[in-house]
Amino acid sequence: MHTLALTLLLAASVGPNLLIPSAPGTFWRYRAAVEWTVADSNVVRSADIDWETTLAATRTSGATTVLVLSGFPSDLCWYEPGTKPSLMALVFRSDGLYLEQAPEHEIDAERFATAVLASAPAPDDHVLSPIPHVGDCLGGSPGRTDGLYCWHVDRRVRHDGRPGWVVAYRTNPDEQVVEFVPGLGITRYEFRHHGTVASVRARLVATGTRP
């Protein structure tokens, strides 16, 4: 499954709807503090690294748009030196935003985008409604009231004068926190494992479009 580099924009159509820039060459650059436990040991390492997310493929059919990103910040959740970017699909539908992680072996962004567009997104991958509200708990198990195992909208935020949302996915073993700001994207991404040390604290430092 899970979680999030996006630039969310409020659009006047369908809504407001959730969209992100889809021009070829779009990128988002992050500065991240990462911690990891060396394999087969109790040794914990840490580093400050630069990480980049890029738009790899797009597909649209009717009211559904699929954007495939390479290097979504969740790739850093179990970071170790040499970590490579994987593919994440952002699926925009009339009922909001879904995130779908590519299978581990999938490296063809165009093929993955086509496959995602042809299938219905899993309910567990539902991250935001078209008009997010604090307290929303999407993609979780019906009947749960503890805010766990769902994408929970924690609060509204402002970044450089722009409104956004903090969305968190919390489980017993770990938690992810993603800050979405319309017009900017994911301005913050955090992950923390509650057992074996593994953590990420990433912040957006630049975004743009390459020729």
Side-chain angles (χ1 to χ4, degrees):
M1 158 292 82
H2 303 152
T3 80
L4 294 130
L6 328 174
T7 307
L8 293 179
L9 298 176
L10 292 178
S13 60
V14 197
N17 198 8
L18 300 172
L19 297 173
I20 71 168
S22 58
T26 300
F27 68 90
W28 297 264
R29 189 171 299 128
Y30 297 88
R31 187 66 174 169
V34 294
E35 291 183 303
W36 70 97
T37 301
V38 177
D40 302 318
S41 77
N42 292 320
V43 177
V44 176
R45 305 290 192 199
S46 63
D48 292 327
I49 65 169
D50 294 316
W51 185 259
E52 188 167 280
T53 301
T54 58
L55 179 64
T58 66
R59 291 287 188 280
T60 299
S61 178
T64 300
T65 295
V66 174
L67 303 183
V68 174
L69 303 184
S70 175
F72 197 77
S74 58
D75 283 340
L76 301 176
C77 288
W78 291 95
Y79 175 85
E80 59 184 26
T83 292
K84 302 296 184 183
S86 66
L87 300 177
M88 177 77 81
L90 281 59
V91 185
F92 297 90
R93 295 164 26 113
S94 59
D95 60 347
L97 170 65
Y98 293 74
L99 297 181
E100 183 173 337
Q101 180 71 51
E104 187 175 354
H105 65 274
E106 183 59 85
I107 60 174
D108 188 318
E110 299 287 347
R111 180 172 59 199
F112 180 49
T114 299
V116 171
L117 187 62
S119 61
D124 286 351
D125 295 338
H126 197 181
V127 177
L128 283 171
S129 65
I131 305 176
H133 296 95
V134 173
D136 285 351
C137 199
L138 302 179
S141 301
R144 288 194 77 114
T145 59
D146 56 7
L148 297 178
Y149 296 90
C150 70
W151 283 104
H152 185 270
V153 180
D154 282 358
R155 65 184 185 275
R156 292 182 62 87
V157 294
R158 298 192 72 85
H159 186 94
D160 292 340
R162 301 171 184 261
W165 303 273
V166 172
V167 184
Y169 195 96
R170 299 181 176 93
T171 71
N172 287 326
D174 59 36
E175 61 186 83
Q176 298 181 77
V177 177
V178 184
E179 184 176 283
F180 298 88
V181 176
L184 293 176
I186 291 180
T187 56
R188 180 169 61 94
Y189 178 88
E190 296 184 1
F191 169 81
R192 182 168 65 92
H193 188 255
H194 301 151
T196 301
V197 174
S199 70
V200 179
R201 289 180 291 112
R203 60 183 178 87
L204 183 70
V205 295
T207 185
T209 304
R210 294 191 178 90

